[in-house]
Amino acid sequence: MSTHLSRPSYAAVLRIPQARRTFTAALTARLSYGTVSLAVLLSVTRATGSWAVSGTVLSLFGATTVLLMPVRAALIDSRGPRRALLPMSALYGALLTVLAALTWRPGAPSAAIGLTAALAGGCAPPLGPTMRALWSELVADRDLLQRAYSLDGVAEELLYVSGPALIGGLMAVAPPAAGILLSAALNAAGTCAFVTSPAMTGPRPTSRRRRTAPVRGLLPPVLVALGVGLALSSADLLVMAFATERAYDTALVPWVLGALSAGSALGGLAGGAVRWRTTARTRLCGFAAALGLVLATAGLAPGLWTLTGVMALTGAFLAPALTTAYLLADETAAADSRTRAGAWVNAGVNAGSSAGALAAGLLIGRLPLEVCFALAGGVAALPAVAVACRSRRVRARRGWSRSFSRL
């Protein structure tokens, strides 16, 4: 891929009028999603005494969050962020408060906990897609927009690393359910600051024809994002299995996964600072295929420190792949459908993450780890290869049609 290095200008992104205030508010609200999963898992386990119940509750919460995200994003596109986000955040916060009350002490009914968690997930505001759609309005230059998306992706990665650490610190002085209350407070405060920013726009009219248009063109980025989510959630369990099989201390596993996050952050910043001459679709396929190939070799690592290096290299392609998926979705979508477009990519990543962990759990112990890593890499690379091959066939067909028309 041919590139031309340009001077990194992430500071220029934050110098855009109202960008710093708006982005900070969005990150505050999105930190809620970095804290809530662990808080729910620990508080439900403490309240019910059952890991099976807590796993089921967390699955219900995640399923409604992911499956209904495009619906919530459609409300934002049609009614505007100011009118749609505040009611969502209020309902989300109220339901999380109920969930915290149910799990504050042992003995709560599991059915009530599960129902409350599922309803809360269904109301979770799609703040990431909304912020990315807003970047498209704030930034006119495509190169600067690429840096904005890269900065957004790296910051989101750091939120999911710092969120569990924040819950761990809170548990030293309060029960796990306090983490659910913290998640509700972060979301409410951040969303209020976000929607009151002068950068926030009102609703746009959305025609019936345009409402369905984005889904057709979004298939490539959503498929690739799904494959990346499948691969990386599998990698979490595979690293744990690798450490256990080789008799390493499992306390080292977070450091290996931390290398993956660090590699992703550095890769995202580096990728955003490059002025690419290839199309977003070509870059997306290249990043995802490279991620899959590197991950496929991880099972051949002779030891944990080599594995750590391989995971860091895998991470170097993660943020660029996801950032490019969001950029491609933004290019594909109409101006009044950008939130929905980003939500579909987000849903693809999260759906893949849920399914990948389940698949890895079923395969570990039944297949050699080398094969499991190869399969994990394959599910990231194969959608990218399929998208690239289809793009070549389409270009070849168009070239043939133009040649035929000259005869």
Side-chain angles (χ1 to χ4, degrees), residues 244-323:
T244 302
E245 185 179 272
R246 307 291 179 89
Y248 287 100
D249 185 354
T250 55
L252 296 173
V253 169
W255 292 97
V256 181
L257 298 178
L260 176 69
S261 297
S264 179
L266 293 174
L269 292 173
V274 173
R275 181 173 292 169
W276 299 95
R277 292 180 179 176
T278 54
T279 65
R281 182 175 294 199
T282 300
R283 297 199 308 273
L284 174 63
C285 295
F287 288 138
L291 184 152
L293 289 174
V294 175
L295 181 59
T297 66
L300 303 176
L304 195 65
W305 297 115
T306 305
L307 179 66
T308 302
V310 175
M311 296 307 292
L313 184 58
T314 301
F317 297 106
L318 171 58
L322 294 181
T323 296

Side-chain angles (χ1 to χ4, degrees), residues 55 59 69 81 111 183 187 200 213 232 245 262 289 362 377 404-405:
S59 296
M69 182 180 290
S183 302
N187 192 276
M200 189 62 64
L232 290 169
E245 185 179 272
L362 293 174
F404 182 80
S405 66

Side-chain angles (χ1 to χ4, degrees), residues 100-406:
L102 286 171
T103 58
W104 197 270
R105 292 183 178 84
S110 300
I113 293 174
L115 177 61
T116 304
L119 291 174
C123 298
L127 294 157
T130 306
M131 184 66 230
R132 282 183 283 268
L134 188 58
W135 280 126
S136 296
E137 297 176 12
L138 294 173
V139 182
D141 180 75
R142 294 301 298 182
D143 289 332
L144 195 58
L145 180 62
Q146 175 182 299
R147 292 181 178 86
Y149 270 42
S150 296
L151 184 64
D152 189 284
V154 170
E156 187 170 61
E157 184 81 24
L158 294 176
L159 292 182
Y160 282 95
V161 172
S162 59
L166 185 58
I167 293 298
L170 181 63
M171 283 183 58
V173 295
I180 301 179
L181 291 179
L182 174 64
S183 302
L186 286 170
N187 192 276
T191 301
C192 286
F194 183 51
V195 299
T196 55
S197 167
M200 189 62 64
T201 58
R204 301 183 187 86
T206 303
S207 68
R208 183 178 183 86
R209 179 182 61 83
R210 284 188 173 184
R211 190 172 295 137
T212 57
V215 178
R216 194 178 307 149
L218 283 176
L219 188 59
V222 171
L223 276 179
V224 175
L226 178 68
V228 170
L230 279 165
L232 290 169
S233 62
S234 302
D236 290 349
L237 290 179
L238 290 173
V239 169
M240 176 67 77
F242 184 98
T244 302
E245 185 179 272
R246 307 291 179 89
Y248 287 100
D249 185 354
T250 55
L252 296 173
V253 169
W255 292 97
V256 181
L257 298 178
L260 176 69
S261 297
S264 179
L266 293 174
L269 292 173
V274 173
R275 181 173 292 169
W276 299 95
R277 292 180 179 176
T278 54
T279 65
R281 182 175 294 199
T282 300
R283 297 199 308 273
L284 174 63
C285 295
F287 288 138
L291 184 152
L293 289 174
V294 175
L295 181 59
T297 66
L300 303 176
L304 195 65
W305 297 115
T306 305
L307 179 66
T308 302
V310 175
M311 296 307 292
L313 184 58
T314 301
F317 297 106
L318 171 58
L322 294 181
T323 296
T324 308
Y326 287 118
L327 279 169
L328 181 58
D330 180 79
E331 291 177 3
T332 302
D336 57 1
S337 302
R338 284 172 174 156
T339 307
R340 253 174 299 165
W344 276 108
V345 176
N346 204 328
V349 176
N350 290 324
S353 296
S354 299
L358 176 62
L362 293 174
L363 293 177
I364 291 173
R366 292 179 171 85
L367 294 174
L369 276 181
E370 294 83 358
V371 175
C372 292
F373 272 107
L375 290 173
V379 297
L382 287 178
V385 172
V387 169
C389 291
R390 177 173 173 77
S391 296
R392 289 194 186 95
R393 286 197 300 270
V394 170
R395 286 196 299 269
R397 194 179 303 123
R398 288 174 180 170
W400 180 85
S401 298
R402 285 194 294 269
S403 299
F404 182 80
S405 66
R406 296 191 190 104

Side-chain angles (χ1 to χ4, degrees), residues 78-93:
S78 62
R79 298 179 180 272
R82 283 181 170 163
R83 293 177 60 187
L85 279 176
L86 278 178
M88 289 181 198
S89 181
L91 283 171
Y92 179 70

Side-chain angles (χ1 to χ4, degrees), residues 35-96:
T35 59
V36 70
S37 294
L38 181 60
V40 168
L41 179 67
L42 295 175
S43 59
V44 173
T45 302
R46 182 174 183 267
T48 63
S50 170
W51 285 102
V53 172
S54 59
T56 301
V57 169
L58 197 60
S59 296
L60 289 171
F61 178 80
T64 54
T65 299
V66 173
L67 295 176
L68 295 179
M69 182 180 290
V71 177
R72 299 191 299 273
L75 289 173
I76 292 171
D77 279 331
S78 62
R79 298 179 180 272
R82 283 181 170 163
R83 293 177 60 187
L85 279 176
L86 278 178
M88 289 181 198
S89 181
L91 283 171
Y92 179 70
L95 287 164
L96 285 185

